[in-house]
Amino acid sequence: MTIILSPLPYADDALAPVISATTLQTHHGKHHRTYVDRTNTAIDGTDLAGHSLEQVIDAALAAGNKGLFNNSAQTWNHGFYWNSLSPETQAPDGDLAAAIDASFGSLDALKAELVAQGTAHFASGWVWLVAKDGKLSVEQTHDAASYADLSGTPLLVIDLWEHAYYLDHKNVRPDYLKQIVAEHLNWAFAAENLANGTVWAYPAA
Ligand code: MN
């Protein structure tokens, strides 16, 4: 078993014009694929071959293997990011909506916090919605840092690396963030992660 390139859960033009087909083709077909390929090259013929992506990430972290960590964690982060986005505009409901209101005061306040932290983040990284004991928070990680660096269970993530938005929004990261948050977050996916209370499992072959 090798680590797979997790499929896009929608057509490559499904998020346009906020994220164009060209961006998705490059981001998924080249950036994400390169992380997958480098992970497989690194584990091929080692004790980690045949293990889940999460086991590879955890082992790389424990061993201080920065190269393998960066490639395996970026593989996971991108799989999680594709699922965090939705072609259709959704609204949270049920337990998720209640947790958002209790933690942020309103959905609009959460959206503003995601945009503010995503805008303020220096250089490459990720902005996450995280749940711990039913309480939600917005957190940032740098470079490839992933679920292990969060205080709880990740519900959603937005990619802050320039390759995620530069072709469509040039240097204006806030425009990308505002439009994603307004139109393309997969609240159903966040609700599933909240209900499960466990770290999402990257698809296996
Ligand atoms: Mn990316």
Side-chain angles (χ1 to χ4, degrees):
M1 184 183 88
T2 54
I3 305 300
I4 64 163
L5 175 66
S6 67
L8 277 182
Y10 30 72
D12 58 19
D13 62 353
L15 305 175
V18 179
I19 300 176
S20 65
T22 302
T23 291
L24 270 192
Q25 287 158 7
T26 306
H27 198 174
H28 180 256
K30 296 191 185 298
H31 290 276
H32 189 186
R33 183 185 299 278
T34 298
Y35 294 126
V36 171
D37 289 348
R38 287 179 178 169
T39 300
N40 282 320
T41 298
I43 65 175
D44 186 34
T46 75
D47 290 348
L48 288 172
H51 286 235
S52 71
L53 180 61
E54 291 80 6
Q55 289 172 319
V56 172
I57 293 168
D58 295 346
L61 202 54
N65 185 339
K66 191 74 180 162
L68 179 57
F69 174 79
N70 284 341
N71 284 299
S72 57
Q74 282 291 84
T75 297
W76 192 96
N77 288 352
H78 282 90
F80 194 74
Y81 172 59
W82 309 134
N83 282 282
S84 295
L85 302 177
S86 164
E88 299 82 26
T89 300
Q90 304 180 5
D93 59 11
D95 289 347
L96 177 61
I100 290 169
D101 287 344
S103 302
F104 298 97
S106 67
L107 177 61
D108 283 346
L110 164 57
K111 289 178 173 178
E113 183 67 15
L114 285 165
V115 172
Q117 289 207 33
T119 299
H121 184 89
F122 184 74
S124 296
W126 303 82
V127 63
W128 308 77
L129 179 62
V130 177
K132 187 177 186 192
D133 302 328
K135 171 91 175 159
L136 308 190
S137 58
V138 173
E139 299 182 16
Q140 304 167 39
T141 61
H142 286 279
D143 299 326
S146 188
Y147 56 83
D149 284 283
L150 302 172
S151 67
T153 307
L155 305 186
L156 285 176
V157 77
I158 304 173
D159 192 339
L160 302 176
W161 287 56
E162 281 186 345
H163 64 229
Y165 60 85
Y166 212 85
L167 294 175
D168 303 317
H169 304 277
K170 298 293 193 291
N171 59 313
V172 191
R173 189 194 285 172
D175 282 0
Y176 156 76
L177 288 167
K178 285 177 193 163
Q179 291 173 44
I180 290 290
V181 163
E183 299 172 35
H184 290 303
L185 286 182
N186 188 345
W187 296 109
F189 180 64
E192 273 175 43
N193 289 316
L194 179 65
N196 291 339
T198 53
V199 174
W200 176 78
Y202 188 88

